[in-house]
Amino acid sequence: MAAVPLTLDNSYARDLEGFSVPWRPEAAPSPKSLFFNAPLAEELCLDVAALSGEAGTALFAGNAVPEGAEPIAQVYAGHQFGGFSPQLGDGRAVLLGEVIDRAGQRRDIALKGSGRTPYSRGGDGKAAVGPMLREVLIGEAMHALGIPTTRALAVVATGQPVLRETVLPGAVLTRVAASHIRVGTFQFFAARGDTARVRQLAEYTIARHDPDLVGAPGRFLGLLERVAERQAKLIAQWMNVGFIHGVMNTDNMTISGETIDYGPCAFVEAYDPKAVFSSIDSQGRYAFGNQPGIARWNLARLAESLLPLFDGDEDEAMSQAMGVIYTFPALYARHLLHGQRAKLGLRTAEAADDAADAALADDWLALLHAGRVDFTLAWWRLADAAAGDDTLLRSLFVDAGAPDAWLARWRERCVREDEGASSSGEATAAATRAARMRRVSPWVIPRNHRVEEALTAASDDEDLGPFDRLLEALRRPYDENADNARYAEPAPADVTACYRTFCGT
Ligand code: AMP
Ligand code: MG
């Protein structure tokens, strides 16, 4: 077999003793490539030609480990649905190593579904074709929407069946991440009272994600503040595209601020803060509208883990941590409003307008909620309204007059902004505003029924056509054209009402 053309570094294994175990992926009996992300491979400065061939398939199946690599399984803990699990870890994942990308950033390359590890507990260490291709679709869609995310580099079918409720074809996903350090990674050592290792991990994390804080006094609190900032921004972006993660356990919340672990996630169709699709979230803990509050709760778990690093005096440490946790709602609100303003076609952001603009956005959402209007289409059609044509927006409401009062208020706000900016003419201002809005609110999102359709064809019939076509549409989310119209259509309401997602286990 050809040598694997990939040089990996292993800073996590090298710098952090006791945070992982050396582990080898299990070989797949008859690997077959289903997906290879050439643009991402280029971004990572990899040998695209070699990796898109046989050597790549062997690597991405776990059948060949690059020379000099020291693959590991990482350990972590986590609060799952509010209950603490002191011992989790990579139960079906192996971190092959790290590369430095074109922008000079260190990125992890890991396999998921590559067999049992010492952290598998009762699990089989395997993954199925459907959920791994799902991770490709949603991750690439998020990336195209400008939302920080781990990304899929490849998916290989193993040729081995995986037993779930039914027998499914097995697969291995190659995942690229800014790092796999989670809130739960800190929790693992904090729960054991191992402050030395919490400190070691914090220093490593700062060097990797916030290098400007290296050696600075107060850097550990600084790290907490940075994570708060990244997560506030991330969740605001989720909320502004209607993304429901579905399983925001602390082991699924990264320190880097990337979205990770696309299990039972889904996009909201008709706007509803209570929307839940995950079959295991019977209490609605991770419902769409709960996500900002859960992020703050998770952040408090990180703060608890870091507490001894903030100050020798426990009360003082606690008050510093609380200071950050208390600011989270305001941070989140700032990021949310920033995104909403862009979606409303507004550019001015004087503090004096904050309350009025937030109310304008809230009332718009209340209107969509009351009318059970499709979230994505409503924003898209609002751009048509900005260009001067209300018809398509109105047609989304059962009562076409329902948005009237709100539209009048919004138009007034737009006019005020244009007057302030001494616009060159009404028609130009309208066209420019509409064009701007169409660059921030997508036409195509991964509609649940389209995702299922693509995955069923791939998994049941080995037909990757629907998957490839959907992926292509998702990579250009802001283009409206005849070719992608079917991907922009909402699912029939009865399909959405019965739609359930499952953890990719
Ligand atoms: P998740 O809900 O996918 O984030 O996974 C939670 C924990 O369960 C992690 O420690 C995973 O590694 C582990 N896990 C999930 N699925 C499996 C599986 N099929 N085999 C072994 N471990 C698993
Ligand atoms: Mg996870």
Side-chain angles (χ1 to χ4, degrees):
M1 191 186 298
V4 180
L6 180 62
T7 308
L8 294 166
D9 191 23
N10 304 91
S11 73
Y12 198 87
R14 188 176 60 238
D15 298 353
L16 296 170
E17 189 257 307
F19 291 73
S20 61
V21 292
W23 200 256
R24 298 236 143 201
E26 212 173 273
S30 70
K32 189 179 151 217
S33 172
L34 300 182
F35 167 75
F36 175 62
N37 196 336
L40 176 59
E42 265 163 34
E43 193 181 307
L44 298 174
C45 307
L46 306 183
D47 183 339
V48 175
L51 290 178
S52 52
E54 207 183 306
T57 306
L59 169 72
F60 301 134
N63 289 18
V65 170
E67 203 175 314
E70 292 172 51
I72 54 172
Q74 293 176 313
V75 70
Y76 51 85
H79 274 91
Q80 301 185 301
F81 291 90
F84 187 60
S85 303
Q87 169 77 65
L88 296 170
D90 290 336
R92 54 168 172 168
V94 168
L95 175 61
L96 291 178
E98 304 140 17
V99 293
I100 306 298
D101 71 13
R102 208 191 269 146
Q105 297 297 313
R106 184 174 291 270
R107 311 268 290 268
D108 279 1
I109 300 187
L111 302 182
K112 180 169 172 180
S114 55
R116 289 179 55 80
T117 77
Y119 308 126
S120 295
R121 300 173 293 155
D124 61 1
K126 301 278 166 58
V129 165
M132 296 306 102
L133 290 181
R134 192 163 206 283
E135 183 146 349
V136 176
L137 292 173
I138 314 278
E140 289 307 285
M142 296 290 266
H143 176 71
L145 293 167
I147 302 176
T149 178
T150 65
R151 291 181 69 190
L153 179 61
V155 176
V156 172
T158 59
Q160 203 172 46
V162 176
L163 188 62
R164 296 294 180 258
E165 276 101 48
T166 54
V167 177
L168 298 170
V172 176
L173 167 86
T174 303
R175 176 162 78 184
V176 174
S179 84
H180 282 83
I181 305 168
R182 309 146 192 268
V183 169
T185 319
F186 285 93
Q187 288 183 290
F188 180 87
F189 299 98
R192 282 157 182 77
D194 190 346
T195 305
R197 281 210 167 86
V198 173
R199 180 184 300 270
Q200 220 187 330
L201 181 62
E203 298 282 23
Y204 174 89
T205 306
I206 288 168
R208 187 154 172 181
H209 294 298
D210 298 288
D212 59 309
L213 295 179
V214 169
R219 61 189 171 281
F220 301 117
L221 192 68
L223 174 63
L224 182 66
E225 286 165 350
R226 296 289 175 86
V227 178
E229 176 68 28
R230 289 192 279 265
Q231 286 293 333
K233 187 170 180 196
L234 178 69
I235 309 298
Q237 287 185 286
W238 289 2
M239 299 306 288
N240 276 332
V241 294
F243 175 74
I244 310 170
H245 184 281
V247 57
M248 285 179 72
N249 293 334
T250 57
D251 53 304
N252 290 338
M253 180 157 151
T254 60
I255 300 301
S256 68
E258 283 183 341
T259 312
I260 197 170
D261 270 2
Y262 294 100
C265 60
F267 279 71
V268 76
E269 295 246 329
Y271 179 73
D272 182 3
K274 291 207 161 56
V276 177
F277 293 111
S278 168
S279 62
I280 54 169
D281 192 4
S282 52
Q283 306 288 310
R285 178 181 170 90
Y286 299 135
F288 180 49
N290 285 0
Q291 298 186 124
I294 290 291
R296 182 181 189 230
W297 192 89
N298 289 350
L299 198 66
R301 306 290 78 77
L302 176 64
E304 271 165 14
S305 305
L306 296 173
L307 216 50
L309 309 188
F310 296 154
D311 200 287
D313 179 79
E314 223 173 275
D315 291 340
E316 175 54 29
M318 184 66 95
S319 100
Q320 290 182 16
M322 290 313 288
V324 179
I325 306 303
Y326 280 137
T327 60
F328 186 80
L331 272 183
Y332 166 72
R334 185 163 58 74
H335 284 292
L336 185 73
L337 183 59
H338 177 79
Q340 287 175 327
R341 272 204 176 105
K343 289 169 81 77
L344 289 167
L346 302 174
R347 273 186 305 187
T348 51
E350 293 102 33
D353 291 333
D354 278 4
D357 286 352
L360 188 68
D362 282 350
D363 293 346
W364 163 250
L365 295 178
L367 199 61
L368 303 189
H369 191 198
R372 301 204 57 77
V373 177
D374 186 85
F375 182 71
T376 307
L377 283 187
W379 284 111
W380 188 259
R381 294 304 174 206
L382 188 63
D384 292 331
D389 182 2
D390 290 354
T391 339
L392 289 167
L393 175 62
R394 286 174 191 289
S395 72
L396 299 175
F397 291 81
V398 176
D399 166 12
D404 280 355
W406 185 88
L407 280 172
R409 238 170 96 201
W410 170 64
R411 289 222 157 90
E412 254 169 55
R413 172 70 175 91
C414 293
V415 167
R416 261 201 326 276
E417 174 173 285
D418 294 344
E419 282 168 358
S422 68
S423 152
S424 53
E426 225 171 87
T428 343
T432 315
R433 170 168 289 116
R436 264 196 337 258
M437 291 167 74
R438 291 190 186 112
R439 284 196 294 270
V440 288
S441 285
W443 162 245
V444 181
I445 53 155
R447 297 270 175 189
N448 303 322
H449 62 308
R450 296 298 176 214
V451 171
E452 292 309 318
E453 173 186 275
L455 299 184
T456 304
S459 188
D460 295 0
D461 307 328
E462 294 186 38
D463 174 11
L464 286 166
F467 167 84
D468 290 337
R469 288 189 290 274
L470 175 57
L471 180 60
E472 200 184 307
L474 292 172
R475 282 180 160 165
R476 293 159 59 220
Y478 306 111
D479 292 356
E480 181 183 9
N481 57 56
D483 290 344
N484 64 17
R486 77 185 295 273
Y487 300 113
E489 281 165 23
D494 56 328
V495 171
T496 300
C498 301
Y499 188 63
R500 289 292 164 273
T501 55
F502 300 89
C503 260
T505 45

